């Protein structure tokens, strides 16, 4: 691993080579350096650069072994261009196991402060990514999943960028990822300070957000999610003209614009109706998904029901939850793309 003053060395990684670059960002109060570690895998011939970013939130740690699996797969196939991977965008958040990077800052969530206008830790990290990583990228995938005790399964793409061509390319990437649930999102309106929105809106870099993972529900469920994500990266690389390596695509992909989070108003023990559940399972309006049990009175204090008919995109295991915790989500399908 080489320590670099800037990430311009990304472009210096030669054909067929792999490199790990460490870029110091700032120094914390204890004198420790806060660094970004960037992996680069170069293909055999020149071509586009695909950026993969993960670990923006420190409690979404399952992306760590998944990034290793993706890097190993990419390095084993023939491709053109480069794949650049930031496995942990927020080292302080990972160290604390929290979503927030610096709780006492004006923007504690790194994924809400791009391009980084102040000198809080999340802002400085965002600036390094914007100034030294994004200029190398032709497309990007931002990964978010891994909170213990729940499964999440969709690919999100922005549909409201100023350049319609960028929005169209984002949709193409989302379909190419090969998952059967896609969220068509108004990203500029909803998340103007996120990494993916900034890259697409301000830098014309198309990208998707991938939230596909299952934690705490057994090795088989986790392995299925890993397989989907490894296949998805290869599929996106194919859509960018980087590889001819085959990738699977389902017979039908379902797209939703309305996404309902079903979260508890009260803390307690979440007791699912189905454990584990299944991504894309059809649910009816009013269907009981789970209940919240008081640990003290042992009474059911809340029922979590689907607010609409649609497909399940988030589900939970039995676990203790606080008010508002990720529990369930349902997408109202309004478009289906079928493949022969």
């Amino acid at each position: 691993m080489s320590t670099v003053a800037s990430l311009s060395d990304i472009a210096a990684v030669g054909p067929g080579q792999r490199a790990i670059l460490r870029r110091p960002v700032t120094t914390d109060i204890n004198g420790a350096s806060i660094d970004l570690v960037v992996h680069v895998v170069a293909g055999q011939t020149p071509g586009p650069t695909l950026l993969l970013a993960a670990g923006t939130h420190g409690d979404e740690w399952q992306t760590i072994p998944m990034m290793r699996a993706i890097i190993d797969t990419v390095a084993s196939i023939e491709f053109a261009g480069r794949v650049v991977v930031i496995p942990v965008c927020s080292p302080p958040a990972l160290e604390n196991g929290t979503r927030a990077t610096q709780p006492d800052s004006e923007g504690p969530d790194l994924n809400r402060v791009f391009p980084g206008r102040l000198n809080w830790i999340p802002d400085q990290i965002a600036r390094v990514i914007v100034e030294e990583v994004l200029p190398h990228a032709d497309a990007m995938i931002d990964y978010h999943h891994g909170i213990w005790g729940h499964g999440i399964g969709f690919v999100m793409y922005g549909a409201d960028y100023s350049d319609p061509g960028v929005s169209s390319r984002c949709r193409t990437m989302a379909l190419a990822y090969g998952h059967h649930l896609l969220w068509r999102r108004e990203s500029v309106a909803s998340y103007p300070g996120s990494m993916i929105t900034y890259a697409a809106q301000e830098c014309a870099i198309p990208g998707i957000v991938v939230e596909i993972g299952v934690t705490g529900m057994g090795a088989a469920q986790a392995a299925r999610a890993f397989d989907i994500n490894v296949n998805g990266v290869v599929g996106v690389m194919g859509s960018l003209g980087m590889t001819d390596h085959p990738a699977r695509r389902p017979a039908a992909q379902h797209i939703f614009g309305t996404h309902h989070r079903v979260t508890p108003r009260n803390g307690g023990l979440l007791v699912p109706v189905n454990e584990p559940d299944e991504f894309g399972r059809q649910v009816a309006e009013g269907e009981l998904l789970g209940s919240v049990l008081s640990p003290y009175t042992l009474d059911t204090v809340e029922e979590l029901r689907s607010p609409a008919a649609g497909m399940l995109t988030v589900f939970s295991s039995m676990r203790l939850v606080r008010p508002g915790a990720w529990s369930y989500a349902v997408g109202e399908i309004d478009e289906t793309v079928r493949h022969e």
Side-chain angles (χ1 to χ4, degrees):
M1 184 185 301
S2 60
T3 300
V4 295
S6 77
L7 291 169
S8 58
D9 285 6
I10 289 172
V13 179
Q17 295 182 340
R18 296 173 65 169
I20 304 177
L21 310 176
R22 181 185 292 273
R23 164 64 159 93
V25 176
T26 187
T27 303
D28 210 345
I29 194 169
N30 61 356
S33 178
I34 297 174
D35 302 343
L36 273 185
V37 175
V38 179
H39 295 244
V40 183
V41 183
Q44 293 75 24
T45 56
T49 294
L50 175 63
L51 169 64
L52 310 181
T56 305
H57 301 133
D59 55 354
E60 298 172 352
W61 49 263
Q62 198 194 32
T63 55
I64 296 170
M66 193 186 75
M67 289 298 107
R68 183 171 68 172
I70 290 172
I71 289 171
D72 288 346
T73 297
V74 167
S76 71
I77 66 174
E78 294 283 330
F79 74 97
R82 291 185 179 88
V83 175
V84 176
V85 181
I86 310 176
V88 181
C89 288
S90 181
L94 179 67
E95 179 181 347
N96 295 324
T98 60
R99 181 182 179 91
T101 297
Q102 185 181 0
D104 59 349
S105 65
E106 290 183 25
D109 186 336
L110 171 58
N111 208 35
R112 299 293 183 273
V113 302
F114 279 79
R117 297 178 175 85
L118 303 174
N119 283 330
W120 303 109
I121 295 171
D123 291 81
Q124 292 199 55
I125 293 172
R127 277 206 300 277
V128 170
I129 293 172
V130 165
E131 295 173 2
E132 300 182 24
V133 181
L134 290 187
H136 297 279
D138 296 293
M140 69 174 295
I141 304 174
D142 185 18
Y143 287 91
H144 292 267
H145 69 78
I147 299 173
W148 183 259
H150 86 292
I152 187 166
F154 57 81
V155 176
M156 188 273 283
Y157 67 94
D160 63 339
Y161 299 120
S162 298
D163 183 345
V166 172
S167 296
S168 176
R169 290 159 67 196
C170 292
R171 176 184 167 95
T172 298
M173 288 177 62
L175 289 166
Y177 204 82
H179 190 53
H180 62 294
L181 295 172
L182 280 62
W183 185 3
R184 183 186 61 250
R185 190 73 190 269
E186 302 299 308
S187 297
V188 177
S190 301
Y191 294 118
S194 70
M195 186 190 317
I196 203 80
T197 301
Y198 179 83
Q201 179 71 358
E202 303 300 331
C203 308
I205 300 170
I208 55 177
V209 175
V210 173
E211 304 202 25
I212 303 172
V214 183
T215 55
M217 298 186 197
Q221 286 272 34
R224 283 184 61 193
F226 272 43
D227 178 66
I228 292 169
N229 286 306
V230 171
N231 177 75
V233 170
V234 175
V236 169
M237 291 173 68
S239 75
L240 296 172
M242 297 174 67
T243 186
D244 294 325
H245 196 81
R248 302 182 308 276
R249 186 175 291 195
Q253 293 176 280
H254 308 286
I255 302 173
F256 54 91
T258 301
H259 196 219
H260 300 280
R261 284 195 192 184
V262 185
T263 60
R265 295 178 179 271
N266 304 281
L269 180 68
L270 175 60
V271 182
V273 172
N274 299 306
E275 185 180 356
D277 219 314
E278 187 70 26
F279 299 132
R281 181 174 69 82
Q282 291 278 356
V283 297
E285 182 176 356
E287 180 178 334
L288 180 65
L289 304 174
S291 302
V292 179
L293 179 72
S294 167
Y296 303 102
T297 68
L298 307 181
D299 294 325
T300 297
V301 296
E302 187 173 356
E303 292 184 337
L304 301 180
R305 295 183 177 274
S306 176
M311 287 186 172
L312 199 65
T313 61
V314 176
F315 55 80
S316 288
S317 65
M318 182 184 293
R319 74 187 202 278
L320 292 171
V321 293
R322 305 192 76 176
W326 275 101
S327 301
Y328 296 93
V330 176
E332 290 190 55
I333 307 303
D334 55 36
E335 181 184 357
T336 296
V337 178
R338 302 192 183 279
H339 307 286
E340 296 183 357

